[in-house]
Amino acid sequence: MTVATPKTKRNLIEVARQLFAKKGVDSTTMNEIAEASGYGRRTLYTYFKNKKDVYRAVIGSELQKLYTALEDVIKRDLPADDKLMMFTFSRLSIIKEVVTRNGTLRADFFRDIWLVENVRKEFDKKEIHYLETILADGSKSAVFTVNDIPRTAEILHYALKGLEVPVIRGVLNLRLDRQEDREIVYNLVFKGLNKR
């Protein structure tokens, strides 16, 4: 369950996101965020200690969009294998959208990877939990044979994270609506590489 963010703070985060996307994080000042928001410096500093704190909140807000979409996939009434496929493709598509929509934030997103990873820790735990849920449902319905659900979910999570940069950069263009992409992912995830 997520804690509701006050409207003023959400507005400050959105103004900062727009400025970061337009000018870059380094070129944006706290004064500019306060001025563009219309709230003033006192209000800005009520919610954020410094620009790094604002940037962390922007990343968190953008990641929340991803996890809200993944939660929607989890709630769907689908067989576990279909749900895992939809989860995989939705995740990659949404993360690309989130990063791409932020313009120059894209470069900053990758430059301070440790800050991004630190913000992602809680979100990563949620995602692993979602994957555990799908794997458990699949095991229960005999769609999957998984001996260690938590460990398998964790490995799947990190495998998906490894695909993020090539997908974001457009080097790897995976789409759920393309049959050949679905088959490659399906065969790799569900059948592995060994001939049985």
Side-chain angles (χ1 to χ4, degrees):
M1 186 162 110
T2 57
V3 177
T5 306
K7 184 179 179 188
T8 301
K9 186 174 184 179
R10 285 194 314 269
N11 290 341
L12 289 166
I13 290 168
E14 179 54 23
V15 166
R17 186 199 67 75
Q18 290 174 17
L19 286 170
F20 292 163
K22 184 177 178 184
K23 298 179 63 175
V25 176
D26 289 340
S27 299
T28 302
T29 66
M30 291 291 276
N31 284 341
E32 289 170 321
I33 296 168
E35 191 176 303
S37 72
Y39 289 114
R41 288 172 49 95
R42 180 178 289 170
T43 303
L44 179 62
Y45 282 100
T46 298
Y47 291 102
F48 306 103
K49 291 183 284 188
N50 52 42
K51 187 167 59 172
K52 193 171 193 172
D53 207 20
V54 176
Y55 180 54
R56 187 178 290 116
V58 168
I59 294 169
S61 172
E62 292 299 286
L63 288 173
Q64 187 57 49
K65 291 173 178 60
L66 168 66
Y67 292 98
T68 298
L70 294 181
E71 210 166 70
D72 290 343
V73 171
I74 292 297
K75 291 176 182 174
R76 290 182 184 218
D77 186 21
L78 293 170
D81 53 348
D82 289 344
K83 192 177 282 192
L84 185 56
M85 288 292 284
M86 181 173 278
F87 185 93
T88 298
F89 282 96
S90 295
R91 184 193 183 287
L92 292 172
S93 171
I94 295 162
I95 203 153
K96 182 176 182 173
E97 283 174 31
V98 163
V99 175
T100 303
R101 88 183 191 98
N102 286 296
T104 59
L105 186 56
R106 186 182 321 176
D108 293 328
F109 190 93
F110 291 113
R111 192 178 64 227
D112 198 351
I113 197 67
W114 297 116
L115 176 61
V116 173
E117 285 302 309
N118 192 33
V119 172
R120 281 185 73 161
K121 280 181 189 175
E122 286 305 309
F123 292 110
D124 287 353
K125 287 178 190 173
K126 281 186 197 178
E127 183 176 331
I128 291 168
H129 174 72
Y130 294 157
L131 288 166
E132 286 175 350
T133 302
I134 294 171
L135 293 172
D137 290 347
S139 291
K140 196 183 305 179
S141 61
V143 172
F144 303 143
T145 303
V146 181
N147 295 329
D148 186 341
I149 289 173
R151 189 75 174 138
T152 303
E154 190 176 16
I155 290 168
L156 261 173
H157 163 74
Y158 286 111
L160 291 173
K161 273 183 87 164
L163 293 173
E164 288 175 5
V165 173
V167 167
I168 290 166
R169 291 195 174 147
V171 174
L172 185 62
N173 185 16
L174 292 173
R175 292 188 5 220
L176 184 60
D177 63 345
R178 204 166 31 213
Q179 178 67 27
E180 56 270 21
D181 286 354
R182 285 197 316 272
E183 286 177 12
I184 290 169
V185 172
Y186 185 89
N187 287 332
L188 188 60
V189 172
F190 300 115
K191 295 181 180 177
L193 298 175
N194 288 338
K195 184 176 180 183
R196 299 212 196 300

